[in-house]
Amino acid sequence: MPSPLPIKSLIRLNWLLVFTFTAIISLYFIFLLDERPLYKVFYMGMTALGIGLVAFVNVRILILLARKHGVRGKALKRYRYFFTYAASATIYLMLAPAFDYFEHKSKSFPFPFFLFIFFISGILVNTMIILLQDFVILQADKSHADLELSQIKAAHAEATNLLLKQQIHPHFLFNALNTLKALYRKDPVAGDNYIVHLANFLRASVYNHAAKTSSLADELALLLDYLEMQKIRFGSALICVIDLPIDMLNDRYLPSFSLQPLLENALKHNELTQQSPLVVNIFCSDDRIVVSNTLKKKNLNVTSTNHGLANLAERYSLLSGDEVIISENKDTFSVSIRLLNNEYSDHRG
């Protein structure tokens, strides 16, 4: 969609031209010409009048042509040149008799000479004004294009973020229902407890579905429901220690559904037994959340489905441009993500 004409910018440019050239002419007459004060004032006033009339008539012609031929119509440029040059030449030819009257009192130049000079002056002034106005229009078009591009990028990022989040829910629900089925066969009471936490988790998922970010408190609540579900499933084979400052819970933010996939990733890729439990530590370090787990990789090759770290890393990059830091050594695997400030929060009524 073409950008509208920057009328206000063109008008500001016109006034700038009037004042600038009037000032230049004023300095010329004051310091270089030995003329009567009234003569100097006349020249300054006529200079401002001539440039002002041409500049504002140009804008008016541009507006009228844009209404008829479109802002970027091919006919607009052709008609614009014809009408503006005709108008500027006419304006300066109309000013010529006044200048001739003053000049006859001092130098007695022939009137046809003034007509030719003022005709050429009108052409030159109009050319200068067209070039400057085109520059202003070009800059406005560039700003409009940059704005549209940023809006398209934001819409694309939002759509990508939503798509990535939608990948999480079916994956999680599939695993949860399989676990629930197995629990009801073995321990109906545990199955009942599991379904309570599952309901809480799904309720929060629906509520935060469209949100790009969640407060640390909301993310923690979601994580705790998921953690209780996994404790029902794995018992003492899973140990999770959470140490987060209370004052950060409502003042810091994370991408929605970011803590739970990190715990899920640790469970997916590591062995855990009663004798050798999986230990997960979640803590804050240098304004970042760190999720660290003991490393006991499964012997079976687990196929990645892009629902864990890759998903979170891409969503986090789209949201803040920051990176998810992953580190691994012989005994531990950890993921660190920066806490976000209020500027990234989603305000929901």
Side-chain angles (χ1 to χ4, degrees):
M1 180 180 178
S3 61
L5 288 173
I7 302 301
K8 291 183 179 179
S9 297
L10 292 174
I11 291 175
R12 284 196 293 265
L13 170 66
N14 290 351
W15 285 115
L16 179 63
L17 288 173
V18 170
F19 290 125
T20 300
F21 279 91
T22 301
I24 293 173
I25 294 298
S26 299
L27 292 175
Y28 173 73
F29 285 131
I30 290 172
F31 294 107
L32 298 181
L33 288 186
D34 184 20
E35 298 286 354
R36 291 171 298 173
L38 181 61
Y39 192 36
K40 295 177 181 180
V41 172
F42 167 76
Y43 260 100
M44 288 184 287
M46 294 301 287
T47 298
L49 179 63
I51 293 176
L53 283 174
V54 172
F56 284 99
V57 167
N58 270 21
V59 172
R60 186 59 184 170
I61 290 173
L62 193 58
I63 292 173
L64 293 174
L65 291 176
R67 289 175 182 173
K68 184 175 181 180
H69 300 287
V71 176
R72 299 296 177 269
K74 291 182 179 180
L76 181 140
K77 183 179 293 187
R78 183 170 62 252
Y79 287 124
R80 178 191 178 195
Y81 288 154
F82 174 79
F83 285 115
T84 57
Y85 277 110
S88 62
T90 302
I91 289 170
Y92 268 76
L93 289 175
M94 291 173 63
L95 296 177
F99 277 91
D100 180 67
Y101 173 79
F102 271 80
E103 288 291 342
H104 266 300
K105 287 189 173 184
S106 57
K107 300 176 182 178
S108 299
F109 288 133
F111 184 66
F113 173 79
F114 274 89
L115 289 179
F116 175 75
I117 291 298
F118 273 76
F119 177 80
I120 297 300
S121 298
I123 298 299
L124 293 176
V125 168
N126 190 66
T127 300
M128 174 197 66
I129 289 174
I130 284 179
L131 290 174
L132 292 173
Q133 288 182 346
D134 281 347
F135 176 76
V136 170
I137 293 172
L138 182 63
Q139 291 299 111
D141 287 346
K142 184 178 181 300
S143 298
H144 184 76
D146 290 343
L147 177 61
E148 284 191 335
L149 181 60
S150 65
Q151 291 173 340
I152 291 171
K153 286 182 176 179
H156 177 264
E158 178 66 21
T160 303
N161 180 65
L162 202 55
L163 178 62
L164 289 167
K165 283 173 60 179
Q166 287 171 345
Q167 292 176 354
I168 297 173
H169 304 304
H171 171 74
F172 164 78
L173 191 58
F174 175 79
N175 289 340
L177 292 177
N178 280 339
T179 300
L180 185 60
K181 179 181 178 182
L183 282 174
Y184 268 114
R185 287 179 178 176
K186 183 173 61 174
D187 188 349
V189 175
D192 287 341
N193 291 333
Y194 188 92
I195 204 169
V196 168
H197 293 291
L198 176 60
N200 291 337
F201 185 91
L202 293 177
R203 186 183 301 112
S205 298
V206 171
Y207 178 74
N208 294 319
H209 177 71
K212 292 182 291 186
T213 62
S214 298
S215 68
L216 182 56
D218 289 339
E219 279 296 295
L220 181 59
L222 200 68
L223 175 70
L224 290 176
D225 277 313
Y226 179 78
L227 178 60
E228 290 302 319
M229 292 162 58
Q230 302 313 310
K231 283 185 176 180
I232 293 171
R233 179 182 175 187
F234 295 108
S236 59
L238 172 62
I239 300 173
C240 186
V241 179
I242 301 174
D243 183 16
L244 298 175
I246 297 177
D247 58 338
M248 285 189 172
L249 295 182
N250 292 309
D251 295 333
R252 294 290 189 272
Y253 296 83
L254 289 172
S256 296
F257 304 100
S258 54
L259 287 183
Q260 177 267 330
L262 293 180
L263 178 55
E264 184 178 11
N265 185 73
L267 294 170
K268 177 181 178 181
H269 292 281
N270 293 278
E271 293 182 350
L272 59 163
T273 63
Q274 303 287 340
Q275 295 74 26
S276 182
L278 176 68
V279 180
V280 180
N281 287 285
I282 302 174
F283 57 93
C284 183
S285 176
D286 295 329
D287 212 33
R288 299 181 74 91
I289 291 291
V290 180
V291 179
S292 175
N293 61 269
T294 52
L295 194 59
K296 300 175 183 179
K297 289 186 178 180
K298 292 180 179 179
N299 293 326
L300 296 176
N301 184 25
V302 180
T303 303
S304 175
T305 55
N306 199 37
H307 295 131
L309 291 179
N311 183 298
L312 175 61
E314 189 168 353
R315 289 195 294 124
Y316 198 76
S317 176
L318 286 169
L319 181 63
S320 68
D322 207 342
E323 293 183 351
V324 173
I325 299 176
I326 301 172
S327 60
E328 180 179 342
N329 57 38
K330 182 180 177 181
D331 300 316
T332 60
F333 179 88
S334 65
V335 179
S336 170
I337 55 177
R338 184 172 62 87
L339 287 164
L340 305 176
N341 296 319
N342 291 337
E343 60 183 298
Y344 295 101
S345 64
D346 287 322
H347 300 286
R348 298 181 297 275

